[in-house]
Amino acid sequence: MPRLAPVHWAMMAFTAIPAPALADECVQEKAIYGDMDDAYELRFEPVGAEMAVSNKFKFAVRNTPIVADGVVMRSDDLQHANGMIMFNCPEGDVTGADLRACTVWQGMIYASDERGNISALPAEGDGAAERLFLPALGPSIRESSMWGAGKATIAPWDVLTLKGCG
């Protein structure tokens, strides 16, 4: 009978002992997500007094100084979460053209569990989603002001996985 290397024993131990579900222990406003290349981090934060916004987050390009702002606004039926990622937006009174120019990505944000069941993004106070799906995130970043030398150079996948709780 072949002898198993120590690495195999460790792999067997991790598969035999289930890890605690991080999503069950973390609320959405403290959830931290990352892409599979570890090039991006999406970190939710409490909304505070902003009534039109249901969630907000920072979207960072790791190993660069690039940090974009993100907001989520619920549809009237509360079943859909429309998100926006904005980079270097002007302060104060802005026009629609100003907002379009600094918007990196806009679209629906979907939540997913480990089995792939899709749902709306959890609200503040609810348990964090295990995964987020932001359709066309990578191509949008490639076409934005976040892309280029000294900025983002790896386009993220559209799925981000829960990595921690802040």
Side-chain angles (χ1 to χ4, degrees), residues 91-161:
E91 297 284 325
D93 239 357
V94 295
T95 66
D98 292 333
L99 281 177
R100 282 189 297 280
C102 68
T103 298
V104 171
W105 175 86
Q106 182 173 2
M108 292 295 164
I109 298 179
Y110 300 98
S112 170
D113 62 16
E114 283 183 347
R115 292 183 218 123
N117 298 315
I118 302 295
S119 63
L121 178 71
E124 280 199 12
D126 291 342
E130 293 175 17
R131 291 186 184 89
L132 300 179
F133 175 50
L134 288 74
L137 176 62
S140 296
I141 287 177
R142 275 198 173 141
E143 299 298 320
S144 77
S145 60
M146 282 178 61
W147 187 262
K151 299 178 184 177
T153 57
I154 297 172
W157 294 90
D158 296 350
V159 176
L160 304 174
T161 303

